[in-house]
Amino acid sequence: MTLRHVVIGAGMAGVLSAIKLHDAGEQVVVYEKASRIGGTWRENTYPGIACDVPSHLYSYSFAPNPEWSHTFAPGPEILAYLEAVAERSGILDMIRFDTEVVRLAWDDDRSQWDIDLSTGARDVADIVIAATGVLHHPRYPDIEGVSDFAGAVFHSARWDHSVPLEGARVGVIGTGSSAVQIVGALVDTVGSMTMFQRTPQWVLQVPNDPIADDIRTGYRADAGAMRALRDELAIGFETRFANAVVDADAPILAQIEELCRANLESHVLDADLRAKLTPDYRAACKRLVISPNFYESITRSNAHLVTDPIVRIEPKGVLTADGSLHELDVLVLATGFRVDQFLRPIDVVGRAGARLDDVWSARPSAYLSVSIPDFPNLFLLNGPNGPVGNFSLIDVAEIQFEYVMQLVARVRDGRCRAVSASRAAADRFERDRVEAAQRTVWVTGCRSWYLDDRGVPAAWPWTFTRFRELMAAPDLADYDLV
């Protein structure tokens, strides 16, 4: 049986899905709301943007890249890599750009999805793969007066490159990875750099060394060497970090904290500033910030760390609780993303009129992060409760895709018309997940974007080794096969 697959999104996971389906000879179309591929790497173009996963690990396993310039790839290189892989794979003609999926409705009689598009056109699909990503809906701060600011103001994920920065008084609200990268990239260009900190971060100093020309030449000649490096990085990342954060008592977490503390103490000599930059929670409770130069940057003479709470934004700058008005020309909101959206705002209607907005009214969830009860033949890549917090999302998406294709095969060969996780399996998974989350480092005293409205980590709470094992093959007893 020939199936029609629709992929939503042409970011990293969407490109992956299109390539795999194309190579398998399947019928596939990709709907992308923007005018080019790339997802988060298309939308985030702020100065200093780079991945915090090593370049050769943050690559498709089937498309190693000998041209990475640094240990941690700059954002523009990742975008160029995704575009090059898509072009080589011959999938660009399958992507409908500037076309947003606005509604999905399941027809039980036909066992198909009816799809409404922003262009007014309609489509149908036997299988829908939602590769909509996690970090693509900017979270704007609820601060009085943002619209009153007389200078340029924008979110870090909506960077305005027309705004001149040389000699400007720049303020950054936030202290996560984006804010840290922006400060490090701009402090020597701007007139002054003011970082507004609500919570200090543990920052691990990891040099981002250039990859030497002779090493890249060797990779071009020997793809096997790159694959061996990728395997080595994956094993090290998994055993030394990914598996550790789900065990709050893991000795390596104490070692990571000592490294972070040594980084802080060796680079920030001013005792008052060092105290302001010292977290009161454990390392890795929030997503660990990787930076080669943050502490050096924040101690520059033109850099200022403000820890007094923000009262409001005024036309001339930011007013803080101590009565100070920090006058600025440019204000950057490095305040993260709404990580609970996934498919939304798409209107998704499943079996018997079930609406995803209602099912997810409290919080998003999915069995093994890929399937939702009563929403047949709809599969999520990097969906709710996956290993978003502690591994390469490319590897996660590849593993999930192969798992999903084993379910799709049952529809293709006629063994069933529709497949979705059972309610019993989804409820059991959620109970087990919430229980396991209490043993992770993410619940040891911090507030982070990993936590849901209950304070429960929304990320995969078990080892990545267990993730691989469970995703090796579906347990069909946990699915409704129609």
Side-chain angles (χ1 to χ4, degrees), residues 424-465:
D427 289 346
R428 185 186 69 246
F429 172 73
E430 178 66 4
R431 287 194 303 270
D432 292 347
R433 188 190 67 79
V434 170
E435 179 184 355
Q438 305 309 315
R439 296 187 289 274
T440 68
V441 73
W442 302 316
V443 295
T444 57
C446 69
R447 182 70 193 172
S448 76
W449 62 268
Y450 292 160
L451 305 182
D452 65 18
D453 59 296
R454 304 165 297 179
V456 175
W460 182 263
W462 299 286
T463 66
F464 200 77
T465 304

Side-chain angles (χ1 to χ4, degrees), residues 143-146 148-149 173 310-315 317-318 331:
I143 301 174
E144 178 188 349
V146 173
D148 297 331
F149 184 59
I173 297 178
I310 295 173
V311 175
R312 64 178 176 270
I313 310 298
E314 299 195 347
V318 177
L331 181 60

Side-chain angles (χ1 to χ4, degrees), residues 124-189:
V124 295
D126 300 296
I127 306 294
V128 173
I129 296 177
T132 49
V134 183
L135 306 179
H136 65 113
H137 292 290
R139 180 181 292 279
Y140 289 88
D142 184 16
I143 301 174
E144 178 188 349
V146 173
S147 61
D148 297 331
F149 184 59
V153 57
F154 45 82
H155 194 278
S156 57
R158 300 291 184 266
W159 196 272
D160 187 346
H161 291 275
S162 69
V163 175
L165 297 175
E166 188 168 353
R169 298 169 299 176
V170 176
V172 177
I173 297 178
T175 52
S177 293
S178 296
V180 164
Q181 290 174 341
I182 290 166
V183 169
L186 291 182
V187 71
D188 291 332
T189 298

Side-chain angles (χ1 to χ4, degrees), residues 271-331:
D272 290 338
L273 179 58
R274 188 167 63 244
K276 292 178 179 180
L277 289 166
T278 301
D280 61 359
Y281 55 87
R282 293 181 55 185
C285 182
K286 289 176 175 283
R287 185 177 180 91
L288 197 63
V289 175
I290 305 294
S291 173
N293 66 346
F294 172 64
Y295 289 136
E296 295 95 324
S297 300
I298 201 63
T299 56
R300 294 277 204 277
S301 60
N302 66 328
H304 313 283
L305 182 74
V306 176
T307 58
D308 292 291
I310 295 173
V311 175
R312 64 178 176 270
I313 310 298
E314 299 195 347
K316 289 186 177 182
V318 177
L319 179 69
T320 49
D322 64 344
S324 299
L325 178 63
H326 306 271
E327 296 191 2
L328 302 168
D329 304 307
V330 180
L331 181 60

Side-chain angles (χ1 to χ4, degrees), residues 148-265:
D148 297 331
F149 184 59
V153 57
F154 45 82
H155 194 278
S156 57
R158 300 291 184 266
W159 196 272
D160 187 346
H161 291 275
S162 69
V163 175
L165 297 175
E166 188 168 353
R169 298 169 299 176
V170 176
V172 177
I173 297 178
T175 52
S177 293
S178 296
V180 164
Q181 290 174 341
I182 290 166
V183 169
L186 291 182
V187 71
D188 291 332
T189 298
V190 301
S192 66
M193 173 64 73
T194 303
M195 176 181 250
F196 296 92
Q197 172 184 282
R198 183 175 63 179
T199 307
Q201 299 274 3
W202 287 112
V203 180
L204 184 65
Q205 185 178 38
V206 180
N208 191 14
D209 296 325
I211 299 175
D213 289 342
D214 60 328
I215 293 177
R216 283 188 280 169
T217 299
Y219 288 151
R220 292 186 201 109
D222 184 5
M226 272 192 299
R227 292 190 180 91
L229 173 62
R230 191 183 193 282
D231 291 343
E232 180 183 345
L233 288 169
I235 292 170
F237 206 86
E238 182 172 333
T239 58
R240 291 197 294 271
F241 183 72
N243 287 352
V245 294
V246 299
D247 176 6
D249 297 322
I252 195 168
L253 295 179
Q255 297 170 18
I256 289 173
E257 184 167 323
E258 284 306 308
L259 290 172
C260 292
R261 194 180 300 278
N263 180 31
L264 172 62
E265 293 177 351

